[in-house]
Amino acid sequence: MKSAFPGIKRIAYEGPASKNPLAFKHYNPEEIVEGRTMREHLRFAVVYWHTFRGTGSDPFGAATMQRPWDDGTESLKNAKKRVRVAFEFIEKLGAPYYCWHDRDISPEGRNLAESNRNLDAIAKVLKEEQQRTGIKLLWGTANLFSHPRYAHGAATSCNAEVFAHACAQTKKALEVTHKLGGEGYTFWGGREGYQTLLNTDMKREQEHLAAFLRMAVEYKKKIGFRGQFYIEPKPKEPTKHQYDSDSAACLNFLREHGLLPHFKLNIETNHATLAGHTMQHELEVAGAAGALGSIDANTGDELLGWDTDQFPTNIYLTTYTMLSVLKYGGFKSGGVNFDAKVRRESFEPIDLFYAHIGGMDAFARGLKIAAAIRKDGRLDAFVKDRYASWDKGIGAKVESGKASFKSLEEYALKKGNPPKNHSGRQEFLENLINEFI
Ligand code: XUL
Ligand code: CO
């Protein structure tokens, strides 16, 4: 097959002084940061859906993307060709991982059996390409939101027949993920929520969602799939409200249903901001619960209120993200997955390279800056010092469970004067961060 990206060679690290737009200025895969290579820290993944299936169409206009290798049909032949193109791209970019939904990689058939056969046929080609290139599957997932059958949801559908179909589709996607050596599997509840409460039995729907996830955990064990399960929070879009609305809601749901030991979270920036949070907030909520698994790296636009899935280029964003990731011990099974799409106006194939190179460099800078802030130690020392009253005396007593309202009343009465506080020094700390950016 002839090259889909002729004239583009493997993207190399050329350092910050390079003016070559097809080179990394900061992502040097072999460079050691905090004892690990950048490649090991960042574990970059390319998404199949936006990058190889995105057409650039929007509610106001038709497709714009120039993808000369793609004949635009849903044939198996086209799907197979696309796999070769995808691996040429990922290999040239030098990303070690990729991610897919079952229906991005292979066409939906006339019935489930045919869809499954299509998926097997494509999995065979994916496996060949994985072996040829050494590129690995970070996670797989089932698309339980595009087909009209999922209009009322999948695991939370009012229709038990649809629930059964969703379970069957997920079973197959899990098997294929396992066969391809996937390091994880993601559950994003695109339509697991409601448009109106007038027609919704929320309690019942949430119980069905738990039953679905319980069966997935059971089946994972049965087939010996050791990959990590992730829930990806998102508050809305396409539905008005999705049950996995943010990290805290997901953790609460998982705890309530005894599922927490089996899941971690896959946190996406644009989903965090749609929920009214920062990415850092979502990472900290997940991290504090020991459930920070992976990230879908992208960004929204401050002036647009929807999931624009832009490539991340903001160094503050990547710095704060990597500060949290490093704080919680770095990625184990997860990675930095670019769930991001080029703009409709960036329609040439080469734009896919510019977009990913920019995202990878932004994360490499975020990693290096975060590591420098940690090495400097002033930020950590400030936070530690801010809580110093808990390390001894009355604070230590409370933390060790040796205090009661009564003993604290005695203590406060004896002290008499109002407690003395110290400045939070937000501006001082913001200036400190800027020393490193
Ligand atoms: C949608 C989204 C999904 C998930 C996988 O907003 O982020 O693509 O990442 O289903
Ligand atoms: Co995502």
Side-chain angles (χ1 to χ4, degrees), residues 48 83-84 87 90-91 96-100 105 122-140 176-183:
Y48 213 92
V83 174
R84 309 282 183 203
F87 277 79
I90 304 167
E91 198 181 15
Y97 290 99
Y98 76 117
C99 293
W100 48 246
I105 51 175
I122 297 301
K124 198 163 156 273
V125 190
L126 288 170
K127 186 143 205 179
E128 277 171 29
E129 287 295 293
Q130 287 186 198
Q131 280 164 351
R132 182 184 68 75
T133 60
I135 293 162
K136 294 186 278 188
L137 179 62
L138 189 68
W139 50 259
V176 174
T177 301
H178 183 37
K179 202 153 72 189
L180 293 176
E183 297 186 16

Side-chain angles (χ1 to χ4, degrees), residues 232 268 271 296 339:
E232 185 176 321
E268 177 163 328
H271 297 180
D296 268 12
D339 191 355

Side-chain angles (χ1 to χ4, degrees), residues 127-173:
K127 186 143 205 179
E128 277 171 29
E129 287 295 293
Q130 287 186 198
Q131 280 164 351
R132 182 184 68 75
T133 60
I135 293 162
K136 294 186 278 188
L137 179 62
L138 189 68
W139 50 259
T141 185
N143 178 331
L144 304 179
F145 45 89
S146 292
H147 194 279
R149 82 171 68 84
Y150 297 126
H152 299 298
T156 63
S157 174
C158 49
N159 183 345
E161 304 291 331
V162 173
F163 179 95
H165 193 103
C167 290
Q169 189 181 329
T170 302
K171 173 179 176 289
K172 182 69 185 174

Side-chain angles (χ1 to χ4, degrees), residues 392-405:
K392 53 184 186 316
I394 199 70
K397 263 197 193 133
V398 174
E399 283 200 351
S400 61
K402 287 191 194 120
S404 65
F405 266 15

Side-chain angles (χ1 to χ4, degrees), residues 300-314:
D301 184 301
E302 276 172 24
L303 301 182
L304 300 174
W306 63 91
D307 195 15
T308 57
D309 281 343
Q310 287 163 235
F311 276 83
T313 53
N314 184 315

